[in-house]
Amino acid sequence: MQFISYLINGLGLGSVYAIIALGYTMVYGIAKMLNFAHGDVIMIGAYIAFFAIMNFGLPLIPAVLLAILACTVLGVVIERLAYKPLRQAPSLAVLITAIGVSYFLQNGAQLLWSSSTKVFPAVLPSGSLQIGDLSVSWLTLITIIVCVLVMAVLTLFISRTKTGRAMRACSEDKGAATLMGINVNFIISVTFAIGSGLAAIASVLLCSTYPSVYPTLGSMPGIKAFTAAVFGGIGSIPGAFLGGLLLGIIEILAKAYISTQLSDAIVFAVLIIVLLIKPTGLLGRKLSEKV
Amino acid sequence: MIEAIKGISFEVRDGEIVTLIGANGAGKTTTMHAISGLVKPAAGSITLDGTELTKIPSHRIVEMGLAQVPEGRRVFAQQTVAENLTLGAYARKDKDGIEKDMEEVYRLFPRLKERRLQMAGTLSGGEQQMLAMGRALMAKPSIVLMDEPSMGLSPLLVSEIFNIIQEINSKGTTVLLVEQNAKRALAIANRAYVLETGRITLSGTGSELAADERVRKAYLGG
Ligand SMILES: Nc1ncnc2c1ncn2[C@@H]1O[C@H](COP(=O)(O)OP(=O)(O)OP(=O)(O)O)[C@@H](O)[C@H]1O
Ligand SMILES: [Mg+2]
């Protein structure tokens, strides 16, 4: 029973990682870059949701929608201002810029809202569901359900809609996509918008579990989710989902059975082993080298 | 800056098949890309029915009625045949017309119809070429640029591809064809240009160039 309860908690944590990992993996798949500022978009989303609830007295759903809107705009603006001018630049320049954007957002938050920790309000239902001996917190359950919904909607969007097809086309061959009449810049903006909107959702789930809001709150979940994306195969949407869930489970089990201090090290050790056996990650495809 | 092509000038008239022949590295693909907007020329002018193409964003050029079958096919390997064809019609809004043209492409290439739910990456080279051509036709272009459509195909399939090019043209689509297979290209072309290291060195009707001593020596194997 104890084990199953750990498993469910792992799924809950993993669901948050998965939602964040989707942002990394989609941006990587289409813009071919690692957006290291993605974790900080989560942080901005957390502040927006915090102020929406505490200062403007908005109920949960409008507050989440406001955070999604703000992060979506932020993601698109970051891409336009920081990354778009570097479309032809070497990937190292883009990577360093992304790290720069990350610091810019963290320092900006510190300047605007100070570095002191704010306590995120308990807006999601507390308490837990009792099934026999098993007790699952509503928060964990909601997190898992949100993750599954996000995954389902995103999969339908990517596989069935015209824009989704265009996104897949851009991820394979931007030149050929342009010949079809696809505006590649617009598709990249859409990708950043979706990824950043998901980051806002993740921020509310994350802050409901760990209710502290501070300028560097996005760093650790960002790195974990990035690891999850690599673990599942970066560029692959089901990979981000699977990678996120597995990472969450491994982390919780390592904490429970091995050591709380070592849990992060164990997570990364598993990642390294997986990458040694399968360099493209669990569900990653080998990208054909395009020149 | 590398100038792959410089000072070239040529025209394609309504309803023609015009071919551009030249050795590897002559600048044929660069010329095609300049027309379809994949590269923007540093100087010069390219017009389609009087509209200046160099000033139009690359992704809007297909709306003007110009489609390209790129060198090396460049089909979307991880999408199905049907999805690739649908992407070919991305710039169009006329749902009924798109469906009709899809049927027409399937009539032209029955092989694609059989395989419409197969991933494009698992098609044979010849089938991928058919898909690349079908995909371009889905844009309902008034002119289609084809960059080495016969590359790497068996002789039988090469004949089939050339027949289809003629059929497409006979239905009113203008064709600008780049080919290594100069003999066949000249045989179906109304007019032709020879491109050498970024410059046009010869031009004439298809039969004129096919009979030209220099062309025979350099491109038709004596
Ligand atoms: N982006 C680029 N950077 C540098 N050189 C380029 C670039 N694009 C083309 N070139 C050069 O320009 C020349 C013309 O290339 P292009 O691809 O147009 O040749 P081609 O006539 O199509 O040859 P092939 O028959 O081999 O396809 C080549 O020497 C090529 O190396
Ligand atoms: Mg070429």
Side-chain angles (χ1 to χ4, degrees), chain B residues 42-157:
Chain B
S45 149
I46 300 163
T47 59
L48 175 67
D49 296 333
T51 310
E52 181 62 50
L53 293 185
T54 52
K55 295 197 176 65
I56 295 178
S58 318
H59 67 274
R60 319 240 10 194
I61 287 178
V62 64
E63 282 170 37
M64 318 281 307
L66 186 145
Q68 184 175 356
V69 181
E71 182 175 11
R73 296 132 197 179
R74 292 172 74 169
V75 295
F76 299 107
Q78 288 165 32
Q79 304 206 38
T80 64
V81 167
E83 284 178 319
N84 269 271
L85 293 177
T86 308
L87 278 165
Y90 184 83
R92 293 172 65 182
K93 308 255 178 318
D94 55 325
K95 247 189 157 151
D96 297 344
I98 293 173
E99 245 162 65
K100 227 177 89 237
D101 287 342
M102 181 98 75
E103 283 314 311
E104 175 62 17
V105 167
Y106 283 146
R107 191 194 59 75
L108 214 51
F109 304 102
R111 209 95 74 87
L112 294 183
K113 183 164 191 174
E114 284 163 32
R115 298 175 182 276
R116 63 188 181 281
L117 298 179
Q118 190 174 324
M119 288 292 154
T122 63
L123 295 176
S124 77
E127 290 161 353
Q128 289 190 17
Q129 188 60 57
M130 294 175 192
L131 180 56
M133 291 175 83
R135 187 179 66 176
L137 293 179
M138 288 302 294
K140 207 178 174 60
S142 56
I143 176 168
V144 56
L145 317 184
M146 300 191 189
D147 197 345
E148 308 208 20
S150 76
M151 185 167 55
L153 303 186
S154 70
L156 206 66
L157 214 50

Side-chain angles (χ1 to χ4, degrees), chain B residues 2 4 23-30 71 148 180:
Chain B
I2 300 162
N24 292 117
K28 306 180 296 294
T29 299
T30 306
E71 182 175 11
E148 308 208 20
Q180 296 284 345

Side-chain angles (χ1 to χ4, degrees), chain A:
Chain A
M1 224 13 98
Q2 191 61 18
F3 178 76
I4 294 181
S5 146
Y6 287 143
L7 217 55
I8 293 172
N9 285 340
L11 277 179
L13 180 64
S15 293
V16 178
Y17 290 157
I19 296 172
I20 306 170
L22 285 171
Y24 279 108
T25 225
M26 287 175 69
V27 164
Y28 183 84
I30 286 162
K32 308 291 175 219
M33 65 162 292
L34 297 174
N35 177 21
F36 271 117
H38 188 55
D40 302 292
V41 175
I42 300 169
M43 175 272 294
I44 300 287
Y47 273 103
I48 303 282
F50 173 85
F51 288 123
I53 295 164
M54 301 302 282
N55 294 27
F56 304 134
L58 290 185
L60 174 66
I61 300 291
V64 173
L65 290 179
L66 187 69
I68 292 176
L69 184 70
C71 286
T72 302
V73 172
L74 179 68
V76 172
V77 169
I78 290 174
E79 196 280 321
R80 275 294 147 100
L81 295 183
Y83 304 147
K84 192 177 172 214
L86 300 176
R87 232 15 94 63
Q88 311 299 333
S91 52
L92 202 55
V94 184
L95 187 69
I96 290 167
T97 304
I99 293 171
V101 171
S102 167
Y103 278 112
F104 177 82
L105 293 178
Q106 288 179 17
N107 292 341
Q110 200 166 343
L111 197 70
L112 284 173
W113 305 312
S114 93
S115 56
S116 66
T117 300
K118 298 179 171 24
V119 180
F120 198 81
V123 279
L124 289 175
S126 56
S128 46
L129 181 70
Q130 203 68 35
I131 314 165
D133 288 350
L134 193 68
S135 140
V136 185
S137 79
W138 283 111
L139 185 56
T140 305
L141 217 55
I142 289 170
T143 306
I144 295 171
I145 290 169
V146 169
C147 176
V148 169
L149 279 180
V150 160
M151 194 58 206
V153 170
L154 195 64
T155 305
L156 279 180
F157 175 75
I158 299 278
S159 62
R160 297 289 155 80
T161 66
K162 186 172 178 177
T163 306
R165 256 195 306 279
M167 288 172 78
R168 284 184 286 141
C170 286
S171 90
E172 279 198 55
D173 185 337
K174 291 193 181 57
T178 304
L179 290 179
M180 305 298 108
I182 296 168
N183 182 350
V184 174
N185 283 327
F186 171 72
I187 294 296
I188 291 177
S189 290
V190 169
T191 308
F192 271 83
I194 294 174
S196 307
L198 293 180
I201 295 177
S203 73
V204 175
L205 296 171
L206 189 73
C207 291
S208 296
T209 314
Y210 308 103
S212 327
V213 181
Y214 52 97
T216 55
L217 98 90
S219 302
M220 208 51 198
I223 290 175
K224 294 273 183 62
F226 169 64
T227 311
V230 175
F231 191 48
I234 193 142
S236 156
I237 287 179
F241 183 66
L242 184 67
L245 294 185
L246 284 178
L247 205 76
I249 292 171
I250 295 168
E251 184 175 328
I252 295 286
L253 290 183
K255 273 200 177 108
Y257 292 114
I258 306 175
S259 147
T260 314
Q261 280 85 31
L262 276 182
S263 68
D264 286 344
I266 292 167
V267 165
F268 284 99
V270 173
L271 171 76
I272 291 167
I273 293 166
V274 167
L275 292 185
L276 282 176
I277 298 166
K278 196 163 183 299
T280 51
L282 295 173
L283 301 182
R285 254 185 287 240
K286 194 168 157 42
L287 290 176
S288 54
E289 281 309 315
K290 270 250 176 282
V291 252

